[in-house]
Amino acid sequence: MPAGTRADGGGPEAPAADPAVGAGAAAAQGRAAAPPAGGGPRAPGAGTPSHRPASGAERSRTGRGATAGGPASGAGAAPRAPRSGRAAAWAELLRLPALFTVPGDALAGAAAAGVRPGPRTLLAIGSSLSLYAAGMALNDWADRAEDAVERPHRPIPSGRVRPAAALTAAGALTGTGLALAAAAGRPALAVATPLAATVWAYDLGLKQTPAGPAAMAAARGLDLLLGAAATAGGTRGGTRSGTRGGTRTGTRTGAWGGTRTGAWDGTRAALPSAALLGSHTLAVTTVSRRETTGGSVAAPLAALAATGVLARLAGHRRTRLPAGRRAAAAPGLPGPGPAGNPPRAGDLLAGALAAAYAATAARPCFHAALNPSPQLTQRAVGAGIRATVPLQAALAARSGATTTSLLVAALAPAGRMFARRAGMRKVSIT
């Protein structure tokens, strides 16, 4: 999953201050963070990052008055929110609509490994979602002092979620994510562990350092590799042979020509796709670092150039050797993809999804480069987070997994529909 993203920004926090702040009308703003971490990005995102991939967000600049989205602050404990209000507060804290950008990491990783998604892929998706949500909760806990001044409508400074509860949730979700990865196999756990460490390191210390965008990009790339390691690790099967002395020899083979080391082979095969997704998260997160102040022309221009390069690479279908003949087939020999589709059909689908990715991300970056105001910079960041899903789908199609790519692409409208119904059309993932 992570995130940069957001990919699909933030910084080290001063000690928490008493959130006795007022609020007025709020101007929507945000920072990107992948995913999967987190970024997650954080992972994963989304976005984008956290395991957060990189992010579009709401942010408020406030004056004196009652706190937006929560009880007015002052002496004494805040009144306890109704049960429905508490549920909405937790949905906002965990950025539920942003979670739709996370499953595509694992699915694209499975496609890049050349393996059909299976039960282990579902475990990887569950792990990614848990780690991504953990990054969101931890982010708001770490930013609670800053949010009390700049974004008092958020769940923690408004009193709707207690800081201790947010920190506890972050720890519990991290443990859940690691447990699900362990259930998917040792290779998956070996990827999920550094992913979780990246999410926590980003939220607690790296956000405002030069290493912040790289950490977010790493989270998203690791999230994709988590899907590859988990899915490829489930291909083992076949026969064993032994010697008269009782020593077992031979290999264990499985689907797609997999062997006992199939999980690691699949992970290595997914490295190029992880690098492309991480590069997108890096670009979006770099832009997000100036979204509250604006004034940066170089970052949107660099993101625009990166979008063009990534669209070109993601739209070029990878050559895959026929299953079971990888060692014997001549290098570059075309063959059917994992789903048995003709190369031409795969090329068309990958190209169309890559074009959708470019259309989503490029125009806002161009506008932000022409006029680097905070508002246009924020739009570029939000578009970059939304573009994560078509990029994931293009990467899956690039690997020849037609059905998987269409499933990933469907997550974009599903996420928008959920956000509308939940009344969370503008949800920050930073």
Side-chain angles (χ1 to χ4, degrees):
M1 154 181 17
T5 257
R6 44 148 83 248
D8 334 11
E13 295 297 337
D18 181 8
V21 296
Q29 298 185 18
R31 282 175 297 190
R42 307 221 198 37
T48 240
S50 2
H51 148 64
R52 307 177 52 171
S55 71
E58 290 180 326
R59 208 177 272 179
S60 302
R61 296 195 178 276
T62 62
R64 302 178 61 87
T67 305
S73 56
R80 193 169 188 176
R83 180 171 300 179
S84 60
R86 290 199 300 272
W90 279 98
E92 182 181 345
L93 181 77
L94 300 179
R95 279 70 156 186
L96 292 189
L99 295 179
F100 284 84
T101 68
V102 178
D105 291 343
L107 292 171
V115 186
R116 290 189 181 94
R120 291 175 184 249
T121 313
L122 294 178
L123 290 172
I125 291 174
S127 176
S128 297
L129 290 170
S130 297
L131 294 176
Y132 190 93
M136 295 299 177
L138 183 64
N139 173 78
D140 277 20
W141 179 84
D143 289 352
R144 63 194 184 279
E146 177 185 338
D147 287 346
V149 177
E150 296 185 358
R151 298 170 291 276
H153 63 282
R154 283 189 170 181
I156 292 179
S158 67
R160 292 176 289 150
V161 174
R162 292 181 294 108
L167 182 60
T168 300
L173 287 166
T174 299
T176 300
L178 293 176
L180 290 171
R186 290 182 181 178
L189 181 60
V191 177
T193 300
L195 172 57
T198 303
V199 170
W200 280 72
Y202 179 88
D203 282 338
L204 298 182
L206 296 180
K207 267 190 286 191
Q208 288 289 13
T209 70
M216 190 69 75
R220 270 291 181 182
L222 285 170
D223 203 33
L224 187 146
L225 295 179
L226 174 59
T231 309
T235 62
R236 295 181 301 176
T239 62
R240 295 179 180 176
S241 61
T243 65
R244 185 171 295 179
T247 303
R248 290 176 176 176
T249 61
T251 61
R252 303 179 67 185
T253 61
W256 304 99
T259 66
R260 190 178 184 88
T261 59
W264 303 114
D265 291 339
T267 304
R268 284 193 294 270
L271 285 173
S273 293
L276 294 179
L277 185 60
S279 297
H280 168 72
T281 303
L282 177 67
V284 175
T285 307
T286 302
V287 174
S288 76
R289 293 169 78 86
R290 299 296 297 272
E291 65 181 353
T292 60
T293 61
S296 174
V297 174
L301 281 178
L304 181 62
T307 298
V309 173
L310 292 173
R312 174 67 180 90
L313 294 174
H316 179 68
R317 189 170 184 265
R318 294 173 60 192
T319 299
R320 186 179 297 281
L321 300 180
R325 295 178 52 198
R326 296 182 183 183
L333 178 65
N341 300 303
R344 182 61 179 168
D347 290 341
L348 292 175
L349 180 59
L353 291 169
Y357 159 69
T360 303
R363 185 176 180 182
C365 284
F366 179 70
H367 291 166
L370 292 178
N371 178 16
S373 64
Q375 182 180 13
L376 292 181
T377 302
Q378 292 154 24
R379 289 181 181 175
V381 172
I385 298 307
R386 293 191 298 274
T388 301
V389 174
L391 177 59
Q392 294 164 338
L395 292 175
R398 173 177 179 260
S399 300
T402 301
T403 302
T404 299
S405 65
L406 295 175
L407 176 62
V408 173
L411 291 172
R416 289 194 296 269
M417 182 180 302
F418 177 85
R420 285 196 301 269
R421 291 184 176 180
M424 300 173 65
R425 299 187 65 177
K426 294 183 178 179
V427 178
S428 171
I429 53 176
T430 64

